[in-house]
Amino acid sequence: MNKFFTPPSPLIDRFGRQVNYVRLSVTDRCDLRCVYCMSENMTFLPREQVLSLEEIGRIASVFVSLGVEKIRLTGGEPLVRRDLLDLIGHIGQLGLQDFAMTTNGTQLSHFAGSLKAAGLKRLNISLDSLDPAKFRRITRNGDLDKVLEGIEAARAVGFEGIKLNAVIMRGRNDDEVLDLIELVRRLELDISFIEEMPLGVISEHNRHETYCSSDDVQQIIEQHYALQPASMKTGGPSRYFKMADSLSRVGFISPHSHNFCSECNRVRVTAEGRLLLCLGNEHSVDLRAILRRYPRDNTPLREAIIDAIELKPEQHHFTTDGDVQILRFMSSSGG
Ligand code: SAM
Ligand code: SF4
């Protein structure tokens, strides 16, 4: 073969999108119960239905052999999974361009150093409020101080990037947009503001009433800081902006108001091994059955993944009318 010839990626879908990013959920469990993500009484998967860390590692290796360059671990809360560092060590050695994790930060003060040492490059930390009482209400039981300590610990060990994620809900935390901006400016972190998605049946609020568009959030910020579009392209759903006098980038993830499906480069694997081709559709392929049927041969897994990419839908159809469009919760989708 000509040494300059690069074979086409086997992971290009029917719409010409190349999948080079995989989100792996390592658990559906969590120590918090954020009101937009979970119901108060959740039933979690029986342990035997959850992939072992070794099985998740096999999936990661196969995706990387198929050209995937970026992996994010998520959940549920990844840091509640015992022995997670073993998996991070395995994935950290696969030569990825980017290896990240999304966490609620409650246990980061213990784990930040070992995560970095095991090969994790970047962190997203979810933080929706800087008011302890409001934080507790939104997370149902969370302690804001623990998360703030976790953020400090992560900063101290020197990750390549730390970004905060905030889901903004009207009447709940839309009055905190500027406080969050001031925090990231002071700590020199990035932030993404997220529109709430209609995943899972929740009873705490009506999503139609709390819907707050990214344009509304942007307007709040622009009353104080002009936002200029940042050139940075992540191939992801965030649209990024910069402020003239700060290193922090401000992103908006806007599944309702700015559909990003045409650039979608990602798939997800749930904690029970379902390969989801789109967050907003129910299509999935059961990778766990293949992993367990062929415990020592990755070829069938590889073929199943290549075939599955054919099923990737063109787009999601989320609406803001308050109806649930997808029954599975974000925590079981691998957010
Ligand atoms: N537990 C970790 C955390 O909270 O960062 C990782 C999993 S969580 C499901 C991943 C992200 O999804 C978090 O930033 C969370 O705020 C977001 N999320 C959860 N439910 C959502 C929803 N219904 N709409 C939009 N974002 C949601
Ligand atoms: Fe847990 Fe993350 Fe969902 Fe909050 S958003 S309940 S921290 S999984």
Side-chain angles (χ1 to χ4, degrees), residues 76-298:
E77 173 49 37
L79 292 179
V80 304
R81 178 91 197 235
R82 208 167 340 130
D83 299 329
L84 183 72
L85 289 171
D86 297 346
L87 176 67
I88 296 199
H90 168 78
I91 299 179
Q93 310 228 320
L94 295 177
L96 289 163
Q97 246 175 47
D98 192 14
F99 179 26
M101 184 170 86
T102 305
T103 172
N104 62 27
T106 57
Q107 301 194 56
L108 264 184
S109 56
H110 303 296
F111 284 112
S114 7
L115 290 170
K116 171 88 176 15
L120 194 76
K121 298 186 184 188
R122 290 189 313 109
L123 276 178
N124 283 7
I125 306 172
S126 301
L127 180 61
D128 305 316
S129 172
L130 295 174
D131 170 325
K134 215 191 287 178
F135 181 84
R136 189 170 289 279
R137 269 203 301 282
I138 293 178
T139 58
R140 288 201 179 95
N141 60 6
D143 177 350
L144 175 64
D145 282 343
K146 276 198 197 160
V147 178
L148 295 176
E149 281 164 28
I151 293 173
E152 275 315 316
R155 288 179 72 226
V157 300
F159 282 98
E160 280 175 29
I162 303 177
K163 178 164 77 76
L164 302 189
N165 277 350
V167 175
I168 300 298
M169 292 165 286
R170 187 169 303 288
R172 300 297 171 99
N173 61 348
D174 54 336
D175 56 338
E176 293 205 57
V177 168
L178 273 180
D179 295 340
L180 287 163
I181 287 284
E182 294 305 341
L183 178 77
V184 296
R185 285 169 58 87
R186 186 162 51 79
L187 302 183
E188 299 190 344
L189 307 176
D190 295 333
I191 187 164
S192 281
F193 293 102
I194 305 176
E195 289 176 355
E196 184 179 355
M197 298 175 221
L199 301 175
V201 180
I202 55 165
S203 53
E204 197 271 348
H205 59 277
N206 178 335
R207 285 176 167 137
H208 174 58
E209 282 164 20
T210 50
Y211 172 63
C212 183
S213 78
S214 294
D215 291 346
D216 292 341
V217 175
Q218 188 166 346
Q219 256 181 29
I220 297 174
I221 302 170
E222 288 197 315
Q223 282 165 16
H224 292 79
Y225 300 107
L227 293 177
Q228 297 122 19
S231 50
M232 161 187 172
K233 267 263 150 228
T234 60
S238 259
R239 295 170 295 121
Y240 280 101
F241 294 81
K242 295 207 66 163
M243 295 168 277
D245 58 346
S246 163
L247 291 174
S248 298
R249 280 177 300 226
V250 180
F252 296 98
I253 301 180
S254 325
H256 297 291
S257 60
H258 295 259
N259 183 293
F260 44 69
C261 299
S262 65
E263 293 181 26
C264 182
N265 62 348
R266 65 199 55 197
V267 293
R268 294 172 164 80
V269 181
T270 68
E272 60 192 317
R274 278 199 299 143
L275 173 61
L276 298 179
L277 288 315
C278 168
L279 193 55
N281 279 274
E282 299 285 10
H283 296 73
S284 72
V285 174
D286 180 7
L287 298 184
R288 186 183 63 202
I290 301 167
L291 280 161
R292 293 189 179 171
R293 187 150 171 215
Y294 302 98
R296 273 173 286 282
D297 179 7
N298 280 347

Side-chain angles (χ1 to χ4, degrees), residues 1 5-22 62-70 264-267 302 305-307 309-310 312:
M1 193 193 296
F5 175 75
T6 318
S9 164
L11 300 188
I12 296 181
D13 76 359
R14 290 172 296 153
F15 306 98
R17 299 171 298 191
Q18 182 176 345
V19 172
N20 57 14
Y21 178 13
V22 179
V62 168
F63 268 113
V64 171
S65 76
L66 289 169
V68 160
E69 296 163 333
K70 178 170 174 180
C264 182
N265 62 348
R266 65 199 55 197
V267 293
R302 188 181 156 87
I305 290 173
I306 294 173
D307 290 348
I309 298 302
E310 275 287 301
K312 191 167 165 60

Side-chain angles (χ1 to χ4, degrees), residues 30 32-34 36-38 75-77 104 331:
C30 186
L32 302 182
R33 295 284 183 278
C34 302
Y36 49 77
C37 177
M38 291 194 177
E77 173 49 37
N104 62 27
S331 55

